[in-house]
Amino acid sequence: MSKPNTRRLDKEIRLTERKLEAVRNDEMWPLTSAERRQVMGALVGGSYRTLRSKSTSRAERKLETVWQSVQTRLIAELTALQTERQRIVNEAATAKAAKKSSGWMW
């Protein structure tokens, strides 16, 4: 029996890791459209309050909350992908062990 085919999952895991690193660097490309709208809304609100010489703490908190939720989502995706990969590897190992144990011994 050959090695389990995990190339597709490995590629998705690498992509999700890249997305997570990009979010930690405050890059916008990994965000969904709803998350982008939330970020832009917080930025616009903070900009308006800055122009009015008011406190921007609420907008900053909102922005931080959005970034945290994006990180949480990506970490959950990464965990799910890694769990699925491990399940496939374990199934292949179990099948290989079963095949070896059921074979003829010479």
Side-chain angles (χ1 to χ4, degrees):
M1 188 148 190
S2 65
K3 291 172 60 173
N5 189 2
T6 59
R7 281 183 293 179
R8 182 186 60 81
L9 281 173
D10 291 337
K11 184 178 177 182
E12 287 296 322
I13 288 170
R14 282 192 302 274
L15 177 63
T16 306
E17 287 172 344
R18 281 186 51 227
K19 286 181 180 180
L20 187 57
E21 188 60 34
V23 167
R24 288 182 178 147
N25 292 330
D26 294 334
E27 295 177 23
M28 296 279 286
W29 67 266
L31 275 58
T32 63
S33 59
E35 292 163 346
R36 282 190 184 122
R37 281 193 304 273
Q38 289 176 334
V39 168
M40 295 309 287
L43 289 173
V44 168
S47 300
Y48 178 77
R49 294 200 48 94
T50 299
L51 284 174
R52 298 290 179 200
S53 300
K54 308 263 181 172
S55 171
T56 59
S57 60
R58 185 185 312 160
E60 290 170 359
R61 276 195 315 270
K62 185 176 179 183
L63 194 57
E64 185 61 32
T65 303
V66 172
W67 285 116
Q68 284 294 328
S69 67
V70 171
Q71 281 187 7
T72 303
R73 176 182 61 84
L74 289 172
I75 289 170
E77 283 180 22
L78 185 59
T79 303
L81 288 168
Q82 289 171 337
T83 303
E84 180 64 17
R85 183 186 187 286
Q86 190 60 48
R87 185 189 65 76
I88 290 172
V89 169
N90 288 345
E91 281 181 5
T94 304
K96 185 175 182 179
K99 185 176 179 183
K100 276 190 171 184
S101 67
S102 68
W104 288 94
M105 299 296 279
W106 296 93

